[in-house]
Amino acid sequence: MFEQVLRQLSIQVIECELPNSWWGAYDITTNTIGLRPELGPTQRRSTLSHEAAHAALKHDGHSLTQERDAEELSAAWLIMHCDFQHASRIYNTPIALAHELNVLPRDVHAYVRMIQRTQK
């Protein structure tokens, strides 16, 4: 789903070295996502989705609230609810769930946080 967002928002994706060991960054002024070149496939997919979420949410700058919002939107794009339900019946740790769902543990944490907040 986030691939559609990239196309709709005409976001350019480049590989580049980033500061502070960041895996990715979104630059609103150039509408560009930079990704660290040595990321593995799951890291790249998750990071690209996370940065696309920053773009879709029009984030300019960096705050804990913006990071939480981007994490949750990205997790919603990456994790299908039926897949999550099925996998969570089999696996009981975020790492095992992440492996099964082909996402990072941070995506699982964000997805669970989002579900818990919406069920209140």
Side-chain angles (χ1 to χ4, degrees):
M1 179 185 250
F2 71 92
E3 293 92 347
Q4 293 173 352
V5 172
L6 289 173
R7 283 191 297 276
Q8 289 172 352
L9 297 175
S10 301
I11 299 169
Q12 180 183 12
V13 179
I14 61 170
E15 290 189 348
C16 60
E17 291 304 318
L18 297 165
N20 304 321
S21 301
W22 294 352
W23 288 3
Y26 172 65
D27 183 346
I28 196 169
T29 60
T30 61
N31 201 34
T32 302
I33 292 174
L35 296 174
R36 193 172 281 282
E38 63 271 8
L39 297 177
T42 302
Q43 291 170 315
R44 181 179 174 82
R45 180 173 172 259
S46 178
T47 302
L48 182 57
S49 179
H50 176 89
E51 298 307 329
H54 280 300
L57 295 168
K58 300 181 181 359
H59 287 165
D60 185 10
H62 183 86
S63 72
L64 292 177
T65 300
Q66 287 179 339
E67 284 304 308
R68 185 200 68 229
D69 292 346
E71 286 173 357
E72 291 180 7
L73 179 55
S74 175
W77 287 340
L78 294 172
I79 300 172
M80 299 291 294
H81 191 67
C82 58
D83 294 340
F84 180 82
Q85 286 180 314
H86 177 72
S88 64
R89 288 186 198 111
I90 300 167
Y91 304 100
N92 60 2
T93 67
I95 293 173
L97 277 168
H99 181 73
E100 178 65 20
L101 297 170
N102 193 32
V103 297
L104 296 176
R106 75 172 183 202
D107 301 316
V108 171
H109 288 291
Y111 194 80
V112 169
R113 192 173 61 234
M114 183 180 60
I115 290 172
Q116 289 173 339
R117 190 180 65 255
T118 59
Q119 290 180 347
K120 289 182 181 180

